[in-house]
Amino acid sequence: MTWTTLRIQVATPLFNTDGHQNQAGIRVPSLRGAMRFWFRALAGTITGNNHQLLADLERAVFGGTDHSSPVKLRIPEPPTADQVTPLPVDDHIFYLLGLGLARDRQLNRAYVPTETRLPNGPKIPQTFDLQARFTGSPEAAALALAALWLTCAYGGLGARVRRGFGALRIIAADGELPPPWTEQTLQTPGPDFYEHLTRLTATGPLTDYPTWLAGLPTAPPGLLDRPAPAADDLPAYPVLGRHTLASLHPTAGNWPAVLTLAGKEWRHFRASETVPAGSGGRSRIRTPEAKTTIDGTSNHFPLGALGLPVGYGKDTGVNAYHAGEELRRASPLWLRPVGTGSQMRLFSFAYLGELLPATPDRPVVRLKKPGHDRELIIHQDDLTERATQWIETMRKGETFVRKTT
């Protein structure tokens, strides 16, 4: 088959650096990694926690140690990084960026901007071409495009994707596409698509995905006859479907406005306690756990359900550990601007899967600070309650922000 060209737009600033953290760009290996994540989220609705079956299906689409992927990808002219132009951001967007990308209102890394300037001309949206060639089964080709569609509809590429950065949009296609995909169904949807979503479901152009999975050469006989994962069987990795929540905020704006809204709400959501002003001072906000757990005696740390590690100053923090090694638990709650131009809106979704592996040697959560080290507890219900509170508040267009003096 010949190469098919997909035109993709950079919707929010994209941070994807090399080992020296001084170059940023969009590279095929990074894109494949994001597509693999979303393939698992899709296929996991069929495989459940059968990791071997999931790996077998993934190998048929993306290749493995014994054979290459039947879907070839290349980016002839990747967009270049911007190491000079400052982002049009305020403190709330810097809060979303985190200390790994920005400190003291200064970016630590180069990024791919959402606009590029024509020679001696105006700025235009940043786009690039992704070329694909399908050499295997039509089912593998259809699933590869499903993974790319999900990456652009819900996810993104690079650092801080869960906080709205690195969003991509498929805006056009030129060339042969595997059925049932068409140029229209492959394009990333606008806010209307997200308006009534309460969960991340495999609907719309993904409706036939079980048949595609069953048609893969590595699929076992009777794949579609397997019992569906039980409702109370929590997935051990992000999976579409019943164990997700989603909502769309009613306010529209450009990406800086949407991420400013998200950053302000997220900060007050996490730091939900107001500390009254002292004599001549100003009131401030903090996480309740700072008093009850970090400086107190409680072993309950519900804030950790939103992601670990959590730092409290230079030498104090909470993290998960396994066999003495520090782990990371990515946030299960994602924030993402969707749409284009001044009509973007904040789409939020959460994975309510297994908080920590329920195994005999499961990781432990510990508070470590000078002269102090103790185990903490995070309940599965902490994740459900926090995620539900955020999702429902954003859907109603209400706010977590309190006034401080």
Side-chain angles (χ1 to χ4, degrees), residues 176-196:
E176 188 175 352
L177 294 171
W181 290 102
T182 67
E183 180 181 4
Q184 288 70 38
T185 59
L186 192 57
Q187 291 180 23
T188 302
D192 288 350
F193 171 83
Y194 305 88
E195 187 74 52
H196 302 293

Side-chain angles (χ1 to χ4, degrees), residues 160-379:
R160 304 300 283 181
V161 167
R162 287 171 173 80
R163 295 297 167 258
F165 298 94
L168 302 173
R169 300 186 74 254
I170 304 170
I171 60 175
D174 180 21
E176 188 175 352
L177 294 171
W181 290 102
T182 67
E183 180 181 4
Q184 288 70 38
T185 59
L186 192 57
Q187 291 180 23
T188 302
D192 288 350
F193 171 83
Y194 305 88
E195 187 74 52
H196 302 293
L197 285 183
T198 58
R199 287 181 170 81
L200 297 189
T201 57
T203 55
L206 305 178
T207 302
D208 294 332
Y209 80 93
T211 304
W212 304 342
L213 289 169
L216 292 175
T218 55
L223 178 67
L224 299 185
D225 297 327
R226 292 171 52 88
D232 58 352
D233 185 14
L234 292 178
Y237 55 97
V239 175
L240 305 181
R242 64 168 65 96
H243 297 293
T244 65
L245 296 173
S247 69
L248 186 68
H249 195 282
T251 302
N254 57 16
W255 76 258
V258 172
L259 288 185
T260 295
L261 166 71
K264 190 173 185 179
E265 293 291 345
W266 186 249
R267 182 168 179 265
H268 282 257
F269 172 63
R270 295 181 80 254
S272 58
E273 183 174 274
T274 301
V275 181
S279 58
R282 294 175 57 87
S283 61
R284 56 188 177 87
I285 61 175
R286 69 179 178 189
T287 64
E289 293 85 352
K291 179 180 180 180
T292 61
T293 306
I294 305 303
D295 294 331
T297 59
S298 173
N299 288 333
H300 187 203
F301 192 69
L303 182 65
L306 298 177
L308 293 169
V310 178
Y312 287 88
K314 182 179 179 181
D315 301 318
T316 299
V318 177
N319 202 1
Y321 296 83
H322 183 263
E325 297 293 327
E326 286 192 83
L327 304 178
R328 292 184 62 88
R329 187 186 186 281
S331 175
L333 214 161
W334 295 52
L335 317 176
R336 190 185 190 282
V338 296
T340 59
S342 62
Q343 296 303 308
M344 301 184 86
R345 293 168 64 182
L346 177 63
F347 181 62
S348 303
F349 63 89
Y351 289 109
L352 306 182
E354 193 175 64
L355 185 62
L356 291 170
T359 59
D361 61 342
R362 66 182 300 169
V364 296
V365 178
R366 306 197 69 85
L367 163 64
K368 292 190 176 185
K369 62 180 184 179
H372 192 87
D373 184 335
R374 75 173 189 272
E375 185 173 342
L376 302 182
I377 298 171
I378 306 173
H379 301 296

